[in-house]
Amino acid sequence: MRFTLKDLYNKLGRKNITDNAEGDAQTAIRSLRARSARETKFFFEHTVDTEGRLKNMFWRDHQSLLDYTAYGDVLIIDSTYKTNRYRQPLVLFVGCNNHRATIVFGFALVGDEKEETYDWVFNMFLVSMKYKKPMSVITDGDEAIKSVLERLMPEARHRLCAWHIGRNIGQNLNNVEAIKCFSKFIYASLTVPEWEAQWREAVEMHQMENNEWVTALYKKRTRWAESFFRGSFYGGMCSTQRCEGMNCQFKKRLDPSTTVSAVYGRLEWKQRRIRDRV
């Protein structure tokens, strides 16, 4: 070979400089548009702010469409941070296939986590999936996501991540016995009347009648307690841990210094590697 490893790195460095000469965001948009032109089933959309800067973008490939068509009854949504130099949250749409393997339905980079932003992202997701809506959705409890789901997917059964509920119980209650007592209500195999009766007993036993956090948790009980999900399909899933697992995989290739154009390329590379192992 007529070049050394150093020559190769220098060549790649010059290419990166050339690619980013017109701007990092424009390079990412150009790459995604070029793929959309090559692949008719590839979906990409983006928005810009009042100054013309990239704000949000959503994309998914043809395999994600096929996966969602077959296994999109349960949708898990979660966001992760520290994946790019602009501190834009990365939103993942994840599910599970017939081999119990985690599959990714789509990606979104968003400028913020406001309700109008999630409204746009979820609309793009539904458009890209030909308006097929899931039967059940699992999230980490973001109120902005909850409002958008109620408006765009009113038929879907919305469940809060059981792991996050358990963690919050441990963080908000100081008494060890109270933590054990209230944690059991997450997975308790009880009828709704039995659950309600035992909850009242637990509140009285631990003198939590005036605890605002416990009262707020009780008001959300239909979205996190197992007893209220009889007859709902979740494919054996009750948390966003599959999203967390994907986040862990993708973060091996991403860090706070990653450019937007590199985020897309590295996510696609990692997704292909994950699919090859399934």
Side-chain angles (χ1 to χ4, degrees), residues 35 50 90 102 225 266:
R35 186 170 178 185
T50 55
L90 173 67
T102 303
R266 294 179 187 183

Side-chain angles (χ1 to χ4, degrees), residues 33-45:
R33 281 178 173 170
R35 186 170 178 185
S36 295
R38 294 193 310 270
E39 305 174 22
T40 57
K41 299 293 185 179
F42 184 83
F43 184 91
F44 164 67
E45 284 292 344

Side-chain angles (χ1 to χ4, degrees), residues 148-163:
V148 174
L149 288 175
E150 289 176 347
R151 186 167 58 255
L152 297 182
M153 306 177 190
E155 303 87 359
R157 190 76 165 86
H158 181 201
R159 182 171 190 160
L160 299 179
C161 172
W163 182 85

Side-chain angles (χ1 to χ4, degrees), residues 6 11 21 106 114 117 145 158 164 167 200 205 210 227 246:
K6 183 178 180 179
K11 178 67 175 178
K114 296 179 181 178
T117 299
I145 292 180
H158 181 201
H164 283 90
R167 184 190 64 177
R200 287 192 295 269
M205 180 189 304
N210 299 319
S227 296
M246 280 290 125

Side-chain angles (χ1 to χ4, degrees), residues 159 185-187 195 220-229:
R159 182 171 190 160
F185 287 101
I186 301 173
Y187 304 106
W195 191 96
K220 297 187 289 186
R221 64 194 182 284
T222 58
R223 291 192 286 134
W224 58 265
E226 184 70 34
S227 296
F228 293 89
F229 292 104

Side-chain angles (χ1 to χ4, degrees), residues 15 31 71 77 80-81 90 125 208 212 221 224 256 261:
K15 184 178 184 302
S31 298
Y71 309 112
I77 305 168
T80 187
Y81 310 90
L90 173 67
F125 177 81
M208 296 289 180
E212 294 181 359
R221 64 194 182 284
W224 58 265
S261 54

